[in-house]
Amino acid sequence: MVEIVNREDAMEAIPYAQLEKGTFLIASPEVESGMFFRSVMLLCEHSPSGSFGIIVNKNLELDLPEEILSIEHLNNPRVGIRAGGPVQTNQMMLLHSSNDIPEQTIEICKGVFLGGDIQFLQDAVLNMSGPEVRLCFGYSGWQAGQLEREFLDGEWFIHPASAKHLFETPPERLWQTLLQELGGKYATLSMIPEDPSLN
């Protein structure tokens, strides 16, 4: 039986990471079902008044309106579509690696930007050597103090976010990869099968 990390361990998960913009939130194995199961969240805002983040490791099969993207545009391997969270799932947000439109974007962590309009998106996906782009539908939000409580209850582990992991690590491997990087008990947790009954 694998030992679940307690709240003291969660607080010490990685000494140079903390709850702040530009952090990955890694769902604990105790989250056993639903959209947050084995999810990795990019924390995009965190303040005393609340927080919001976008799930970055859940692929989404979706037909987009022709005026946004035609199907051939999606042949661009630098474009991915993600289920970003359970709130406002019809709202599209862009995570990307371009710093060419600072008036439209905010930098979440080094090399990762949030924002951009339809013209930026269309130009980006037509450029096979252009920026990495992730179209994220929906997000997750927390009221003041809610995320801190969830973290202290061991629901989330934290890891500094990076463009490399966001854009280069396959989404289906991201949860396990980040836990392995944390090492120790976290690496052990990464080995838990998705269906424990198969263990």
Side-chain angles (χ1 to χ4, degrees):
M1 181 175 179
V2 177
E3 180 182 357
I4 297 298
V5 180
N6 60 33
R7 68 172 59 190
E8 288 76 17
D9 291 327
M11 295 180 68
E12 297 173 0
I14 193 163
Y16 51 89
Q18 55 185 332
L19 285 174
E20 62 182 0
K21 181 177 78 172
T23 300
F24 280 137
L25 303 176
I26 309 164
S28 161
E30 292 182 304
V31 180
E32 297 179 343
S33 63
M35 181 174 285
F36 296 119
F37 174 70
R38 298 202 173 199
S39 67
V40 175
M41 185 91 60
L42 177 64
L43 190 57
C44 297
E45 184 59 48
H46 181 65
S47 72
S49 60
S51 312
F52 98 91
I54 300 172
I55 297 173
V56 295
N57 69 327
K58 302 289 185 177
N59 285 326
L60 181 64
E61 298 294 331
L62 186 68
D63 292 327
L64 297 178
E66 182 72 23
E67 61 269 20
I68 298 178
L69 292 176
S70 61
I71 193 67
E72 62 266 21
H73 292 164
L74 292 179
N75 290 329
N76 188 337
R78 302 174 75 84
V79 177
I81 303 179
R82 304 286 185 264
V87 181
Q88 295 187 4
T89 55
N90 61 341
Q91 179 177 334
M92 180 178 69
M93 289 177 284
L94 302 180
L95 290 171
H96 54 84
S97 61
S98 174
N99 62 357
D100 293 340
I101 49 171
E103 70 281 1
Q104 296 183 23
T105 61
I106 58 173
E107 188 171 26
I108 303 301
C109 63
K110 183 176 176 59
V112 177
F113 301 86
L114 174 65
D117 59 15
I118 293 298
Q119 187 61 56
F120 164 77
L121 174 59
Q122 292 173 336
D123 292 344
V125 298
L126 285 171
N127 185 354
M128 292 293 181
S129 60
E132 294 282 351
V133 178
R134 301 294 179 266
L135 287 70
C136 304
F137 287 83
Y139 65 92
S140 296
W142 295 267
Q143 297 177 348
Q146 183 181 1
L147 179 57
E148 289 89 342
R149 290 192 296 273
E150 291 181 6
F151 172 66
L152 291 175
D153 286 341
E155 296 180 31
W156 301 101
F157 310 136
I158 57 176
H159 188 296
S162 71
K164 177 179 175 62
H165 277 315
L166 180 59
F167 299 127
E168 297 181 23
T169 302
E172 65 274 9
R173 291 280 305 162
L174 186 57
W175 182 85
Q176 187 175 46
T177 297
L178 294 176
L179 287 176
Q180 289 172 344
E181 288 189 0
L182 290 176
K185 294 180 179 180
Y186 304 93
T188 302
L189 293 176
S190 75
M191 305 302 291
I192 298 175
E194 289 196 23
D195 184 351
S197 67
L198 299 177
N199 190 12

